[in-house]
Amino acid sequence: MNRYAISGVLIADHRDLDPDAARERPQSSIPVPGWTEAAAVMASLFDEFIVVAADPSACLAWDAMIVRDHYRPPGLLSGIHAGLFSASHPHIIVAAAVDPVTSDGVEPLMKALESRWDAVLHESGQTCVALPGIYGKRALRPLTQLLASGEWRFDRFLSRIRTRRVAAQDLNPAGGPNR
């Protein structure tokens, strides 16, 4: 299998990944059960593999670049931020260990990726689904400004970047991102 020339970012711990959830909800730095299997898939798919964890010491068993969120509490946007900040490639694909990507799920997103897009996400109805998703380094500045201002809403982030939407039926025959 060929590796994609992009950084793969895995959010390894339990955190609120709901883009519309309040950031004050309690979080856990315990890695998701089975996260090492998700990590193995990500490491096999991408040139660079980054693990984002609230407590990096809980993830030392895996051979990867392990980074911590720069903003607290850990959440969806802080995980994307940590991945973008740490990546050496101009784009990252972010997935959660609770729902990791497969090569079938990555291919349509990669085909839709062009340098002009700050994000490539699949759509669900009228909204975009945050994970799995591709995010570009140009999104780092607006994301940093948003988090520093205390704003943690995913829709506010999307309003500040150029996003390519991929229809759900284009992701794979089953209609879902991973299955």
Side-chain angles (χ1 to χ4, degrees):
M1 173 186 335
N2 290 336
R3 290 179 148 201
Y4 294 100
I6 189 171
S7 299
V9 175
L10 183 70
I11 298 176
D13 48 22
H14 291 280
R15 60 178 66 199
D16 206 333
L17 297 174
D18 179 355
D20 298 320
R23 73 179 207 154
E24 288 79 21
R25 288 187 188 169
Q27 307 293 318
S28 169
S29 60
I30 301 168
V32 172
W35 82 274
T36 54
E37 291 81 13
V41 171
M42 295 284 285
S44 71
L45 288 174
F46 307 107
D47 274 352
E48 179 178 52
F49 176 50
I50 301 168
V51 173
V52 176
D55 178 10
S57 66
C59 301
L60 294 177
W62 193 256
D63 183 23
M65 178 190 302
I66 303 169
V67 299
R68 171 181 293 203
D69 301 77
H70 300 142
Y71 292 91
R72 297 279 185 228
L76 171 67
L77 292 181
S78 65
I80 294 170
H81 179 274
L84 281 170
F85 187 86
S86 304
S88 62
H89 288 282
H91 288 89
I92 64 172
I93 186 162
V94 182
V98 295
D99 193 21
V101 297
T102 64
S103 57
D104 290 341
V106 169
E107 190 65 30
L109 294 172
M110 291 298 297
K111 285 182 179 177
L113 179 61
E114 297 175 18
S115 61
R116 66 182 172 177
W117 301 116
D118 299 325
V120 178
L121 305 171
H122 70 273
E123 59 186 4
S124 175
Q126 298 296 322
T127 63
C128 288
V129 178
L131 300 177
I134 297 176
Y135 299 89
K137 286 275 193 175
R138 284 193 314 255
L140 188 56
R141 174 176 264 162
L143 181 55
T144 301
Q145 293 168 342
L146 199 67
L147 292 171
S149 73
E151 179 62 64
W152 292 70
R153 289 186 35 202
F154 187 67
D155 61 336
R156 295 273 169 93
F157 172 50
L158 290 184
S159 72
R160 296 175 181 216
I161 62 173
R162 293 172 292 178
T163 304
R164 167 83 190 270
R165 294 174 176 230
V166 177
Q169 65 267 20
D170 294 338
L171 290 175
N172 66 41
N178 303 324
R179 293 172 188 83

